PDB file of all heavy atoms in Angstrom:
ATOM      1  N   ARG A  34     -13.627 -89.812  -1.909  1.00 95.00           N
ATOM      2  CA  ARG A  34     -13.562 -88.490  -2.536  1.00 95.00           C
ATOM      3  C   ARG A  34     -14.491 -88.405  -3.739  1.00 95.00           C
ATOM      4  O   ARG A  34     -15.160 -87.381  -3.957  1.00 95.00           O
ATOM      5  CB  ARG A  34     -12.114 -88.200  -2.967  1.00 95.00           C
ATOM      6  CG  ARG A  34     -11.910 -86.831  -3.558  1.00 95.00           C
ATOM      7  CD  ARG A  34     -10.444 -86.598  -3.875  1.00 95.00           C
ATOM      8  NE  ARG A  34     -10.218 -85.287  -4.450  1.00 95.00           N
ATOM      9  CZ  ARG A  34      -9.030 -84.824  -4.817  1.00 95.00           C
ATOM     10  NH1 ARG A  34      -7.956 -85.598  -4.643  1.00 95.00           N
ATOM     11  NH2 ARG A  34      -8.920 -83.632  -5.335  1.00 95.00           N
ATOM     12  N   GLU A  74     -16.536 -94.500 -16.565  1.00 90.00           N
ATOM     13  CA  GLU A  74     -15.440 -95.307 -17.102  1.00 90.00           C
ATOM     14  C   GLU A  74     -15.592 -95.563 -18.593  1.00 90.00           C
ATOM     15  O   GLU A  74     -14.610 -95.815 -19.295  1.00 90.00           O
ATOM     16  CB  GLU A  74     -15.356 -96.636 -16.345  1.00 90.00           C
ATOM     17  CG  GLU A  74     -14.849 -96.492 -14.917  1.00 90.00           C
ATOM     18  CD  GLU A  74     -14.834 -97.814 -14.167  1.00 90.00           C
ATOM     19  OE1 GLU A  74     -15.431 -98.797 -14.680  1.00 90.00           O
ATOM     20  OE2 GLU A  74     -14.228 -97.875 -13.083  1.00 90.00           O
ATOM     21  N   ALA A 119       5.576 -88.114 -32.200  1.00 67.00           N
ATOM     22  CA  ALA A 119       6.547 -89.070 -32.737  1.00 67.00           C
ATOM     23  C   ALA A 119       7.486 -88.400 -33.741  1.00 67.00           C
ATOM     24  O   ALA A 119       8.649 -88.782 -33.869  1.00 67.00           O
ATOM     25  CB  ALA A 119       5.820 -90.240 -33.389  1.00 67.00           C
ATOM     26  N   ALA A 128       7.384 -76.657 -34.346  1.00 75.00           N
ATOM     27  CA  ALA A 128       7.046 -75.319 -34.833  1.00 75.00           C
ATOM     28  C   ALA A 128       7.733 -74.928 -36.133  1.00 75.00           C
ATOM     29  O   ALA A 128       7.684 -73.766 -36.524  1.00 75.00           O
ATOM     30  CB  ALA A 128       7.327 -74.256 -33.758  1.00 75.00           C
ATOM     31  N   LEU A 140      22.512 -79.437 -42.766  1.00 95.00           N
ATOM     32  CA  LEU A 140      23.577 -78.755 -42.032  1.00 95.00           C
ATOM     33  C   LEU A 140      24.360 -79.750 -41.179  1.00 95.00           C
ATOM     34  O   LEU A 140      25.598 -79.729 -41.146  1.00 95.00           O
ATOM     35  CB  LEU A 140      22.990 -77.660 -41.137  1.00 95.00           C
ATOM     36  CG  LEU A 140      22.444 -76.409 -41.828  1.00 95.00           C
ATOM     37  CD1 LEU A 140      21.896 -75.435 -40.782  1.00 95.00           C
ATOM     38  CD2 LEU A 140      23.506 -75.727 -42.673  1.00 95.00           C
ATOM     39  N   PRO A 147      26.332 -78.617 -33.513  1.00 91.00           N
ATOM     40  CA  PRO A 147      24.957 -78.523 -32.993  1.00 91.00           C
ATOM     41  C   PRO A 147      24.557 -77.129 -32.564  1.00 91.00           C
ATOM     42  O   PRO A 147      23.417 -76.713 -32.777  1.00 91.00           O
ATOM     43  CB  PRO A 147      24.969 -79.495 -31.812  1.00 91.00           C
ATOM     44  CG  PRO A 147      26.023 -80.491 -32.152  1.00 91.00           C
ATOM     45  CD  PRO A 147      27.077 -79.728 -32.876  1.00 91.00           C
ATOM     46  N   ARG A 154      17.727 -73.224 -36.282  1.00 91.00           N
ATOM     47  CA  ARG A 154      16.373 -73.728 -36.048  1.00 91.00           C
ATOM     48  C   ARG A 154      15.503 -72.684 -35.367  1.00 91.00           C
ATOM     49  O   ARG A 154      14.376 -72.414 -35.797  1.00 91.00           O
ATOM     50  CB  ARG A 154      16.432 -74.987 -35.188  1.00 91.00           C
ATOM     51  CG  ARG A 154      15.064 -75.585 -34.847  1.00 91.00           C
ATOM     52  CD  ARG A 154      15.167 -76.559 -33.693  1.00 91.00           C
ATOM     53  NE  ARG A 154      15.619 -75.887 -32.482  1.00 91.00           N
ATOM     54  CZ  ARG A 154      16.207 -76.505 -31.468  1.00 91.00           C
ATOM     55  NH1 ARG A 154      16.473 -77.800 -31.521  1.00 91.00           N
ATOM     56  NH2 ARG A 154      16.568 -75.820 -30.399  1.00 91.00           N
ATOM     57  N   ASN A 181      27.906 -74.149 -51.908  1.00 96.00           N
ATOM     58  CA  ASN A 181      29.091 -73.292 -51.829  1.00 96.00           C
ATOM     59  C   ASN A 181      29.905 -73.711 -50.597  1.00 96.00           C
ATOM     60  O   ASN A 181      29.442 -73.553 -49.463  1.00 96.00           O
ATOM     61  CB  ASN A 181      28.668 -71.828 -51.702  1.00 96.00           C
ATOM     62  CG  ASN A 181      29.859 -70.877 -51.694  1.00 96.00           C
ATOM     63  OD1 ASN A 181      31.006 -71.282 -51.488  1.00 96.00           O
ATOM     64  ND2 ASN A 181      29.584 -69.602 -51.910  1.00 96.00           N
TER      65      ASN A 181
END
Side-chain angles (χ1 to χ4, degrees):
R34 183 177 180 180
E74 289 177 348
L140 289 180
R154 178 197 63 203
N181 183 344

